[in-house]
Every structure is written in C-alpha cells, then in structure tokens.
C-alpha cells in the first residue's frame, strides 16, 4: 500500500545534514571521544525545581485529559509574559498551548495555508521548515538571506515572491545564523505582509537569547497583530526540550480555529507538563536569563577565541545558541569541512548546506558543551581550517 504523496514527499528527498550527527554517534559508540556541537540542546537538562513541580502535579492528579486549547492559568501566564515583553496587549484568548514550537509551526501553517498555497520562508532555515510547509499541503518557497547582507533578509526580495502567497515564516533570533533581524528589516517585512495580505508566522523560540541589539517582534508593529502568528516554546527559554510545551499567540478568531485543530490533532498537552510550565513561567525573567547565561558567555568566548586568524570567518552571533563560521577560505564546502573535521579532529558541527544553499560554505557550531570542551574543540577547528587553507 502506498502512503499519501503529502507524506512520502515531506522531506523533499535531500540530505538534511543529520549524517554528521549519526556518524558522530557511531564514533562515540565505538569508543572515540567526539565533541558534539551539532544539536541545539542545553547541556544542563531541565531545572530540578521544574521537575519537582511536574512530579508533584502528576501525583496531585494532573494525569487526565486537559482542555485542548490549554490550561487557562497557563494561557494567562503566557499572555502576561507576552504583554510584559512586547507591550502588545495580549489575553488568554490570544494564546493556544501546543506541544512544543514544532507543533506550533505545523498548526500555524495549517491555519494560514490552503492546499497548494505558496508559503514563503527565509533561508538559511531551521531544518524542519520546508517539510512542515509540505506537511500541510502547501508549497514551500525559500527566499535567501545572503552572507553579503550579514544574513539579514531583503524585504524587496521577499516582495518579489509575495504576490499570491499565503504566508511568510521568519525566525529571529535566528537558527542557524545567530543573526537578529534589525528593526528596519522587520519593518520592511511587515510592510510586505500588509501590502500582500500575508500571514506572518514568527518563530520566536530564541526570544530569551539576545546578546546584541533588540529582538523586535513583528506583532508589535503597526497593523501586524491581526496577521501575525507568533510561535513560542519553553524548550530553549526554560531548558524544557523534552517536555514538548509551547504556544501560538495570535488574533482571537485565529486562535479559536487553531483550538479546533488541536482538538483534532494533539488532543491537548499533558496536564502535569502544563502545571510544570506554569511553575516555570512564575519564576520570571531572571530565571530565564539564568538559563540563557551560559550561551552568552560561550558566544563571547567563541568570538574572542576566533579573533586574530583568518582561516574561518565568524558571523558575530547576536542571539541564539549557535555561531556560524564561513569556511570558504579552506576551499571546502560546509559538508566537506564538517565531514573531515569529524574524522580528523573528532569535532562534530552542522554543515551549512543542511540549512539551505544560502549557507553553503559555512558550518554551524552549537554552543552546547561545557566551556572548556568548547574552547578545546574550537582550537582544533581553527588549526584544522588553517591547515586546509594553507594546503
Ligand atoms: N524553531 C527553531 C528555530 C528551532 O531551532 C527549534 C528547535 O531547535 C524549533 C523551532 C522547535 O523547537 P521545539 O519544538 O522544541 O519548541
């Protein structure tokens, strides 16, 4: 029996860069000490106090079905957080609780696009974007943010693709580049959305990881609250990756429809997880800053370590838990660089090509190991690149 074209064509058939990740795991299993700088996950795990709250909630009986749109208290807390952080008046009716940012991206595109619609997204992109768009039956259209523009998208290039499209997906602070879209970029993007009647799906899962400049949420720009669906998550902000908890913030009517989608897909999010999420949000912004702090420190350390050499060029990360390196001076592709670095130096990084052609000749380094291990791996990486550049 054949599966639907929608699902058999979901990944698009290309390499998704995980070959390096699997090879690194194989090498580790065979006893080689590999430093893995591939995946965007904290090295600390979820805070003990959040786990205690989760356990207590389970023991107190939060183990049954929940409201499909989310626990009212959690929706309220998310609305308060969004109002405080962005200044945009937000109520519980603007919030849908979803099992993680990825589920939010899927639901938002489901809400914005009909079958066969064009859905725009910016490249380099988080690995799941094109597949998520295909999964709802829409057609992904990538628009490159180029290294020559410091990976800031060009609103004119988006405008060229916008007529007739249904949605545009943006992500700032950005994975994989670490770039934060400037206010000017965001205003340009908002203008394109208003002029072309697009839904703007704004992936803001890294909103607590801002090292330089300001994070401008497009929902706060004039005329945008009614056409923006913000995807948020506690994976990165609260080191709760495995708990699968996040939200969509948008216009009340859109959230009501997306609530119907939740009833027919996820059927809600586990009650003990939502209770733990309430506890975590009640800890406030200082707690979130504490979770983000190691990445700020390691980002500063990485930039310092990479000074004074020209074998690799660092894209100064303004946010998120990664730095991108331009490795074109070595004559290698991102994929060639990552493969050889793993085999020769036992350091695993993600090839830029896995985030789309705009990141070709780059690699992404996740700042997700202890400071010493990161410093050692970066030194090996630079020495490797210098050897290759000289060859
Ligand atoms: N969006 C971006 C840009 C990401 O990097 C990730 C995870 O790495 C996600 C969404 C999905 O996160 P989650 O589903 O864990 O919230």
């Amino acid at each position: 029996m054949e599966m639907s074209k929608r699902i058999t064509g979901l990944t698009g058939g290309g390499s998704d860069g995980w070959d390096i990740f699997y090879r690194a795991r194989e090498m580790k299993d065979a006893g080689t000490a590999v430093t893995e700088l591939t995946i965007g996950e904290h090295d600390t795990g979820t805070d003990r106090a959040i786990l205690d709250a989760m356990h207590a909630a389970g023991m107190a009986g939060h183990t049954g079905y929940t409201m499909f749109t989310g626990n009212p208290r959690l929706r309220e807390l998310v609305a308060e957080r969004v109002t405080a952080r962005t200044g945009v008046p937000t109520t519980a009716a603007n919030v849908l609780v979803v099992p993680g940012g990825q589920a939010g991206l899927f639901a938002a595109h489901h809400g914005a696009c009909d079958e066969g619609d064009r859905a725009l997204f910016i490249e380099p992109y988080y690995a799941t974007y094109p597949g998520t768009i295909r999964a709802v039956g829409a057609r992904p259209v990538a628009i490159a943010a180029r290294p020559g523009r410091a990976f800031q998208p060009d609103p004119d290039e988006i405008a060229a693709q916008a007529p007739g499209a249904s949605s545009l997906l943006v992500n700032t602070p950005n994975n994989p580049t670490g770039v934060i879209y400037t206010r000017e970029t965001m205003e340009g993007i908002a203008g394109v959305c208003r002029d072309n009647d697009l839904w703007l799906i704004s992936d803001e899962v890294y909103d607590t990881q801002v090292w330089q400049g300001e994070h401008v949420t497009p929902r706060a720009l004039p005329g945008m609250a009614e056409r923006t669906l913000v995807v948020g998550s506690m994976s990165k902000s609260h080191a709760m990756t495995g708990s699968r908890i996040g939200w969509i913030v948008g216009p009340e009517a859109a959230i009501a429809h997306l609530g119907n989608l939740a009833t027919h897909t996820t059927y809600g999010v586990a009650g003990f997880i939502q209770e733990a999420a309430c506890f975590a949000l009640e800890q406030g912004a200082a707690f979130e800053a504490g979770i983000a702090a190691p990445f700020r420190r390691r980002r500063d350390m990485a930039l310092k370590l990479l000074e004074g050499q020209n074998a690799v060029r660092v894209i100064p990360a303004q946010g998120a838990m990664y730095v991108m390196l331009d490795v074109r001076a070595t004559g290698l592709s991102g994929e060639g660089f990552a493969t050889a670095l793993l085999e020769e130096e036992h350091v695993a990084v993600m090839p830029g090509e896995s985030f789309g052609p705009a990141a070709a000749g780059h690699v992404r380094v996740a700042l997700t190991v202890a400071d010493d291990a990161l410093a050692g791996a970066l030194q090996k990486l630079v020495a490797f690149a210098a050897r290759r550049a000289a060859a």
Side-chain angles (χ1 to χ4, degrees), residues 22-32:
Y22 293 129
R23 175 74 189 126
R25 287 286 156 105
E26 259 174 36
M27 289 169 73
K28 273 182 129 168
D29 288 347
T32 307

Side-chain angles (χ1 to χ4, degrees), residues 100-102 105 126 129 171 175 203 205-206 233 235-236 244:
Q102 177 55 39
L105 290 168
Y126 171 55
Y129 282 3
N171 167 225
N175 175 13
D203 179 341
V205 304
Y206 293 99
S233 167
S235 287
K236 315 292 176 177
R244 315 308 306 135

Side-chain angles (χ1 to χ4, degrees), residues 350-387:
M350 288 297 276
E353 290 80 4
S354 58
F355 308 107
H362 290 68
V363 295
R364 186 195 75 177
V365 177
L367 307 171
T368 48
V369 295
D371 298 23
D372 287 358
L374 178 65
L378 285 173
Q379 273 150 1
K380 285 185 187 171
L381 183 152
V382 167
F384 166 83
R387 283 199 306 278

Side-chain angles (χ1 to χ4, degrees), residues 64-73 75 96-97 262-263 266-269 271 274:
Y65 290 128
T66 56
M67 288 177 75
F68 306 129
T69 45
N71 167 338
R73 171 83 187 126
R75 294 175 80 191
L96 175 76
V97 174
T263 308
T266 61
Y267 221 56
V269 174
Q274 294 196 64

